[in-house]
Amino acid sequence: MGEMEGSYRAIQTPGTRLGAQFNAGISTLEPGQSLSNALGPGGRSPGRGLQLRVQGLDDSQEFYDLESRADGQTLLSDVFRRSNLMESDYFGLEFQNMQMSWVWLEPTKLVVKQVKRPMNTLFRLSVKFFPPDPGQLQEEYTRYLFSLQMKRDLLEGKLSCTENTASLLASHLLQSEIGDYDDLADRDFLKLNKLLPNQERIQERIMELHYRHLGQTPADSDFQVLEIARKLEMYGVRFHPAADREGTKINLAVAHIGLQVFQGNTKINTFNWSKIRKLSFKRKRFLIKLYPEVHGPHQDTLEFQMVSRDQCKIFWKNCVEHHSFFRLLDQPQPKSKAILFSRGSSFRYSGRTQKQLVEYVKDSGARRTPYQRWSSMDSPQLSPFNSKSSPLCLSPSFQMSTLSLPGAGQAPSPLQSPILSEVGTNRLEEEEEEGRRKRYPTDKAYFIAKEILTTERTYLKDLEVITVWFRSAVIKENAMPEGLMTLLFSNIDPIYEFHRGFLKEVDQRLALWSGRSNAHVKGDYQRIGDVMLRNMCALKEFTNYLQKHDEVLTELEKATKRLKKLETVYKEFELQKVCYLPLNTFLLKPIQRLMHYKLILERLCKHYSPDHPDHNNCREALKEVAEMTNQLQSSLIRLENFQKLSELQRDLIGIENLTAPGREFIREGCLYKLTKKGLQQRMFFLFSDQLLYTSKGVTATNQFKVHGQLPLHGMIVEESENEWSVPHCFTIYSAQRTIVVAASSKVEMGKWIEDLNMAIEMTKKSQEKSDLFLDPGLWSSDEVSLDQESEDDMSSSRNSLDKQTHHRANSTMHVCWHRNTSVSMSDHSLAVENQLSGYLLRKFKNSNGWQKLWVVFTNFCLFFYKTHQVLDGFLHNQFTCLLYCKCSLDAYKRLNFRLLC
């Protein structure tokens, strides 16, 4: 080689900060000796057995000597032991098979049975099981290895994301590897080390973000990498090519939550473990058998065609292992072999489950010896300022790819043997505790911003009910006219896409905010006003779309009345678990969301002092959103009224044309009506022109049947507790009849009397008779105050009830029925502005265990979702708690505190 001119600066390898000895990349071979000669014929080391090559997550390579009949677990144990890796069950060894596909080394089978030429094969240490939350990783060393896996996935294009996200991830990786920002060091490192496929184009952006990480420790950088990566759709995803029954090319993947289906890089479906009854394969066909209630009794088996039987079996094994690791409490027992005949595979997951692993690490925590890690500035092995003093500092790219042969006195790989120190135990524990305090902010503004994030997640899922699920239902049945399809989805799709980007931006800001403690960077990330201002200004462009929601809701309602097929699809869709509220409610979400933004920004402005750096941005954002809400306020009132009337039209039996022009909904709730059989519970509905009372059906439909329809024209309402000796009792005198009702409390009675009198006064002033749409068949022949009707009268309407579809049980009327209360239209308006989302812990009965649940508070109900479903879509497998809260701001603030803390 010729002489090399110029000065070279030694850049740290990925493992140097762990304190390992610096490997200068000097060959230990004799002059003229090749690597194959040193190893012996066929790459075999002198003596018998196998010598296998394993590449670590830092790209260093090590050799392992095994017996020729060693199984996969032997190699795995040796790798984990040399690496001093405690949380080893998250990891595995993968290799490329004859089809050049990466497959996992099975622990229970012989190595020579799995690999054709094991000594010529490169085994690669990789993360096998990706937990949904990096906080579940208890070892800092494990989190470091996970961050290296993210680095590998970014470079290989597996962790696809936007350029901004990729730049942010790369900047944290840069901080983790070389420490604080230095222009020359950054450029040298990025020149010699590739973190991203398109790194050259966004290098300046990476360095700009790296500058903002001053003072951030390597451990914090690793945590930030995992926090950002785990929220990406491609986090931990490994594609397995397949095709559905129609021949459409798709990709299957398995994760902690269950099975996922992708079209390109877009996830189109998720099958949670709780919904899957059985997984199997027959030749190239991969079969998913679901529980009947998921798709109905005729669609409980899904079939996918894979490339080959081997690929099908590989994916099936991955599914078995993921299900066992994340879902089972204990390690599954191996299947006993049949004596004569065997049917099916005996494959079982052979490692510890995640629950067992967590308990094992906790139990071993006191005996665990911490390892030392240094940043690039304080590493005793290497400093960026003394690189010229060593003549052996060669190219960093050569250092990182150097093949480390086992031998006496040779430096081990930094990842496989981190330096241990008992002296620094107390100091490290103190640093960990300090890191925990720094990682979680205590500023009230952070929790208000966190509320934006959590409710935005729920809001985006609500939009998907229309843009994804309902669209799929109407397309499948070809039930909606093309013109209506265009009107509906051309209005809501752009709004959905905007909020997807907004959610990612808020998510990234909160991830950065939660990790900030340095005063120098406090102004950069510990704020949300700039994000809100930028997006509220952008949202103004969608005002035209929001103003068309009135037309969309009206046309959809007309079409469902006109087209029987669309009406059937509409009703069936409302019964699915994904549609947890009346369908037309989701169409109002975009405008209601603006009202929510306004309230949150008002709270931020109230919290910040005028001289706070985030105050002006929040104030400007509030002005922008207030301008939009003022424009849309009248439209929202009209839409909410129309939506409520349409909902009641479907939920009540025995009333037609409830959505008549000019009719306004005022109050709904439970009262006890006095009959000859005593006080009987009834649901009352007050409108601007009439009062309806109904009784609950005794059939499985759960619907309410109208028994009385009283016009407000000429109506008189009087308290009558003394006359009937019934607490909270009042009498309603109408033109057709007189009824006596009792409320559950004096407050409830006051609300009803106040609203009734207000509606009667409005009727007098309107100069319009409100006896329209009255059906005389609803009335009995005798006009006395004590009616004959009772629950037994429902038998006469059994035939009409049986024709109805099953009725959802979480509508507001059912909340009022079960809680024996009432809700007004103003209560509805206030409730939609104060919807909440967040995590709660549920205490198990007669147990010390707690379950983490995702909770959505909307429509006067708390909806609980298991946390393992939150990542990809928590609108499945929910169980609902009917709850009525008084609609005051104080009540919502108290609930808000409990959810977010």
Side-chain angles (χ1 to χ4, degrees), residues 130-150:
F130 292 81
D133 182 2
Q136 295 174 336
L137 305 175
Q138 302 177 60
E139 293 272 296
E140 181 185 333
Y141 180 48
T142 309
R143 292 193 289 271
Y144 172 56
L145 294 182
F146 265 74
S147 72
L148 290 182
Q149 181 69 58
M150 298 302 103

Side-chain angles (χ1 to χ4, degrees), residues 456-464 496 499-500 503:
E456 191 72 16
R457 273 196 197 125
T458 302
Y459 168 62
L460 200 65
K461 290 297 178 183
D462 287 345
L463 292 183
E464 287 178 0
Y496 171 69
H499 284 283
R500 282 186 65 187
L503 175 62

Side-chain angles (χ1 to χ4, degrees), residues 248 368 425 693 695 734 790 844 874:
T248 305
R368 172 70 167 168
T425 302
Y693 61 91
S695 60
S734 72
S790 68
F844 287 106
F874 49 79

Side-chain angles (χ1 to χ4, degrees), residues 68-199:
S68 59
R69 300 289 294 175
D71 57 16
Q73 185 59 55
T74 304
L75 178 59
L76 284 166
S77 300
D78 284 356
V79 172
F80 297 150
R81 189 182 305 112
R82 192 180 296 184
S83 304
N84 197 29
L85 181 57
M86 178 169 283
E87 294 177 286
S88 57
D89 295 270
Y90 286 112
F91 300 86
L93 291 175
E94 56 181 352
F95 62 93
Q96 286 185 305
N97 60 12
M98 300 299 291
Q99 291 76 36
M100 301 305 293
S101 299
W102 288 99
V103 295
W104 294 107
L105 182 70
E106 293 184 29
T108 58
K109 295 177 69 174
L110 298 180
V111 174
V112 294
K113 293 288 186 181
Q114 303 180 61
V115 190
K116 294 295 183 184
R117 303 176 64 188
M119 290 186 293
N120 294 331
T121 300
L122 175 66
F123 295 88
R124 192 166 73 168
L125 180 67
S126 301
V127 175
K128 189 174 187 179
F129 302 113
F130 292 81
D133 182 2
Q136 295 174 336
L137 305 175
Q138 302 177 60
E139 293 272 296
E140 181 185 333
Y141 180 48
T142 309
R143 292 193 289 271
Y144 172 56
L145 294 182
F146 265 74
S147 72
L148 290 182
Q149 181 69 58
M150 298 302 103
K151 175 183 174 183
R152 179 190 289 176
D153 289 351
L154 276 172
L155 186 58
E156 294 179 354
K158 294 178 180 177
L159 189 63
S160 60
C161 55
T162 63
E163 282 192 354
N164 283 336
T165 304
S167 301
L168 185 59
L169 285 168
S171 69
H172 282 297
L173 290 169
L174 200 57
Q175 177 75 17
S176 176
E177 296 299 343
I178 69 174
D180 286 345
Y181 172 84
D182 178 88
D183 187 79
L184 180 60
D186 278 27
R187 294 186 187 279
D188 286 347
F189 185 90
L190 293 174
K191 181 179 180 181
L192 297 167
N193 298 274
K194 201 168 183 64
L195 301 177
L196 301 171
N198 58 339
Q199 182 170 297

Side-chain angles (χ1 to χ4, degrees), residues 352-614:
R352 286 174 293 212
T353 65
Q354 187 184 32
K355 181 179 182 297
Q356 290 176 318
L357 178 59
V358 170
E359 292 175 350
Y360 166 72
V361 176
K362 285 182 179 179
D363 293 341
S364 307
R367 301 188 300 274
R368 172 70 167 168
T369 306
Y371 71 92
Q372 188 77 32
R373 62 192 293 172
W374 291 289
S375 68
S376 61
M377 299 303 179
D378 56 5
S379 173
Q381 279 79 21
L382 181 66
S383 172
F385 299 106
N386 62 5
S387 57
K388 293 182 179 180
S389 63
S390 175
L392 299 180
C393 293
L394 304 182
S395 166
S397 59
F398 178 73
Q399 296 169 12
M400 295 177 68
S401 60
T402 299
L403 186 65
S404 302
L405 297 177
Q410 194 171 9
S413 165
L415 279 189
Q416 291 161 337
S417 183
I419 291 181
L420 305 180
S421 172
E422 295 183 1
V423 178
T425 302
N426 293 333
R427 182 176 63 83
L428 290 173
E429 289 178 353
E430 291 173 1
E431 289 179 356
E432 275 188 19
E433 181 63 29
E434 181 66 21
R436 279 193 292 269
R437 287 196 297 267
K438 291 180 179 179
R439 185 171 296 151
Y440 303 107
T442 56
D443 185 6
K444 182 180 178 181
Y446 171 79
F447 292 102
I448 298 176
K450 192 69 177 289
E451 181 183 341
I452 298 175
L453 174 65
T454 55
T455 54
E456 191 72 16
R457 273 196 197 125
T458 302
Y459 168 62
L460 200 65
K461 290 297 178 183
D462 287 345
L463 292 183
E464 287 178 0
V465 175
I466 300 291
T467 61
V468 178
W469 299 102
F470 185 59
R471 187 204 303 263
S472 176
V474 294
I475 290 177
K476 182 179 179 180
E477 300 297 333
N478 193 23
M480 186 177 288
E482 185 176 348
L484 183 57
M485 284 277 290
T486 303
L487 176 64
L488 172 58
F489 296 111
S490 65
N491 273 281
I492 201 167
D493 283 346
I495 297 172
Y496 171 69
E497 290 302 324
F498 167 80
H499 284 283
R500 282 186 65 187
F502 177 48
L503 175 62
K504 288 181 180 179
E505 192 170 351
V506 175
D507 205 353
Q508 290 176 3
R509 175 57 57 88
L510 266 293
L512 295 170
W513 191 340
S514 64
R516 290 293 167 265
S517 60
N518 193 291
H520 180 78
V521 297
K522 182 176 182 180
D524 291 335
Y525 285 129
Q526 292 192 346
R527 56 195 173 98
I528 196 67
D530 60 323
V531 176
M532 294 299 295
L533 176 58
R534 183 165 55 253
N535 284 276
M536 292 305 102
C537 291
L539 191 57
K540 289 180 70 174
E541 300 177 8
F542 297 90
T543 306
N544 292 334
Y545 293 108
L546 297 174
Q547 288 173 340
K548 290 183 180 179
H549 275 48
D550 197 340
E551 180 185 357
V552 171
L553 202 60
T554 304
E555 291 300 320
L556 182 60
E557 186 67 21
K558 289 179 181 178
T560 53
K561 292 180 179 179
R562 186 177 71 252
L563 303 172
K564 187 67 176 177
K565 191 174 184 180
L566 179 59
E567 182 185 16
T568 302
V569 171
Y570 192 110
K571 289 182 177 179
E572 290 178 352
F573 182 77
E574 280 196 323
L575 297 177
Q576 295 184 22
K577 290 182 178 179
V578 70
C579 188
Y580 68 109
L581 296 174
L583 179 59
N584 53 15
T585 303
F586 295 103
L587 291 172
L588 303 183
K589 293 289 184 178
I591 304 180
Q592 292 171 346
R593 186 63 176 157
L594 290 177
M595 307 299 174
H596 198 185
Y597 290 149
K598 183 172 179 285
L599 286 177
I600 292 176
L601 286 167
E602 285 174 349
R603 287 163 53 198
L604 276 171
C605 292
K606 185 178 179 181
H607 167 68
Y608 285 138
S609 59
D611 59 343
H612 192 280
D614 204 25

